[in-house]
Amino acid sequence: MKMLQGTGVALITPFKADKSVDVQALEQLVHYQIDNGVDYLVVLGTTAETPTLSAEEKELVKQTIKKANAGRLPMVLGVGGNNTQALKEQVQEVSPEDYVAILSVSPYYNKPSQEGIFQHYKALAQASHVPILLYNVPSRTGSNIDYHTTLRLAKEVPNIIGIKEASGNIVQIMHLLQGRPEGFLVISGDDATALPTVLLGGDGTISVLGQAFPKRYSQMIRQGLEGQYKEANTIQYQLLEAMELIFKEGNPVGIKALLSLLGIGSPEVRLPLCTASDSLQQQLKAFLQK
């Protein structure tokens, strides 16, 4: 699926001072992405603080992004959880008219076996009218999707089209790239290893940092895909400090603080997350001044 090559961004949910959804800031964020060359938008990923949004707020976020986007960029919808049966019902409701794919995180807390992960995704893929992107993020879920499992899903389940790989494990990524069937997407889900993944043959990234620097970040990934290694590496090292800073106190704490400094939304997050410390905000400010 060519439309998911390049740079996707995992959009935050901006909040007002009273912690309600800031619709105006969300619209501003969407326009900022489109005007600066990102390739697609990821709606209601974990960066959007989905665990602390109500069903009504999720619907508000979806409708706000859809309206602001106005069909200009492809959209991917985050639909994840650890209750397979409930998720099957959710994915059945996702419309192919609105979303080109569903991004679904591996079941967390239950810590399923590799066979359990395989059967979970197979069940979702069979229930969905929209193609599925696997999402492997062991630091959050407590379990890794082994590359053998990913490749088995890629070869045996037609409706699974790729993986957002956020293990940060370059060797695992190389095994995926080496063994994948034609057309199966390997997308980085980790800002620091996004360019290395692309240079090894990957298809791009779903980025957190990219929404703060959409023009420069998209350019870096584009250059990587086109084999312009030197130019892409220059941007990678310009952004490397920010890639580390934004995750220092958890996601999306850092990216919200950074976007706020750029004039988009507030640094507000919802408990159990805490707003970025003064120290982190000062470090981010110093990075921007550089």
Side-chain angles (χ1 to χ4, degrees):
M1 195 178 276
K2 294 259 183 217
M3 63 183 72
L4 297 181
Q5 290 180 323
T7 300
V9 286
L11 297 169
I12 62 158
T13 304
F15 296 135
K16 297 177 184 175
D18 65 359
K19 310 283 190 186
S20 64
V21 175
D22 188 338
V23 169
Q24 199 175 347
L26 184 54
E27 290 171 345
Q28 182 190 2
L29 181 67
V30 172
H31 293 305
Y32 182 52
Q33 307 312 307
I34 297 168
D35 294 345
N36 286 284
V38 307
D39 298 295
Y40 60 98
L41 304 173
V42 178
V43 180
L44 294 178
T46 41
T47 301
E49 292 176 80
T50 43
T52 59
L53 296 176
S54 68
E56 292 76 21
E57 287 170 330
K58 287 178 184 176
E59 195 55 38
L60 174 63
V61 167
K62 286 196 289 186
Q63 292 307 319
T64 300
I65 295 171
K66 180 182 175 180
K67 186 181 173 188
N69 181 41
R72 289 178 288 174
L73 291 183
M75 296 194 299
V76 173
L77 181 66
V79 184
N82 56 356
N83 177 342
T84 308
Q85 188 55 43
L87 272 184
K88 279 171 63 179
E89 293 165 16
Q90 285 181 47
V91 299
Q92 281 175 330
E93 294 171 10
V94 179
S95 167
E97 290 174 20
D98 292 332
Y99 300 99
V100 298
I102 288 168
L103 178 66
S104 195
V105 70
S106 178
Y108 43 82
Y109 195 76
N110 316 42
K111 295 188 82 170
S113 65
Q114 293 301 308
E115 184 62 25
I117 291 171
F118 177 87
Q119 295 298 340
H120 168 83
Y121 277 120
K122 184 180 177 183
L124 293 192
Q126 288 174 341
S128 178
H129 307 294
V130 178
I132 303 280
L133 279 173
L134 315 175
Y135 180 16
N136 185 34
V137 57
S139 63
R140 282 177 178 264
T141 62
S143 62
N144 179 49
I145 308 178
D146 187 272
Y147 71 87
H148 294 102
T149 304
T150 300
L151 294 176
R152 185 180 163 207
L153 285 162
K155 291 167 185 174
E156 295 182 21
V157 186
N159 205 26
I160 291 176
I161 58 163
I163 184 168
K164 177 186 176 186
E165 177 57 66
S167 65
N169 182 336
I170 287 291
V171 176
Q172 178 159 292
I173 292 164
M174 285 193 286
H175 280 298
L176 289 174
L177 292 167
Q178 182 184 41
R180 66 177 170 169
E182 190 177 347
F184 184 81
L185 299 164
V186 176
I187 298 167
S188 172
D190 176 53
D191 280 317
T193 59
L195 181 60
T197 298
V198 166
L199 295 180
L200 286 164
D203 296 283
T205 181
I206 292 174
S207 173
V208 175
L209 183 65
Q211 67 196 298
F213 306 114
K215 195 169 190 176
R216 195 176 298 188
Y217 200 104
S218 300
Q219 183 186 355
M220 175 185 77
I221 296 300
R222 209 166 290 121
Q223 287 171 337
L225 289 167
E226 291 168 1
Q228 298 173 31
Y229 309 128
K230 191 176 178 184
E231 296 86 346
N233 275 328
T234 300
I235 301 175
Q236 167 83 2
Y237 288 119
Q238 286 172 349
L239 296 178
L240 184 60
E241 184 185 355
M243 290 172 185
E244 295 173 329
L245 284 174
I246 62 165
F247 296 107
K248 209 170 179 182
E249 295 180 4
N251 186 42
V253 173
I255 189 64
K256 280 193 156 184
L258 182 56
L259 284 165
S260 175
L261 291 168
L262 292 167
I264 300 173
S266 75
E268 296 291 339
V269 292
R270 287 180 177 174
L271 287 170
L273 298 176
C274 293
T275 307
S277 64
D278 290 343
S279 166
L280 179 57
Q281 296 207 41
Q282 289 306 318
Q283 287 174 282
L284 290 167
K285 203 176 284 184
F287 174 80
L288 286 176
Q289 287 167 349
K290 278 195 293 191

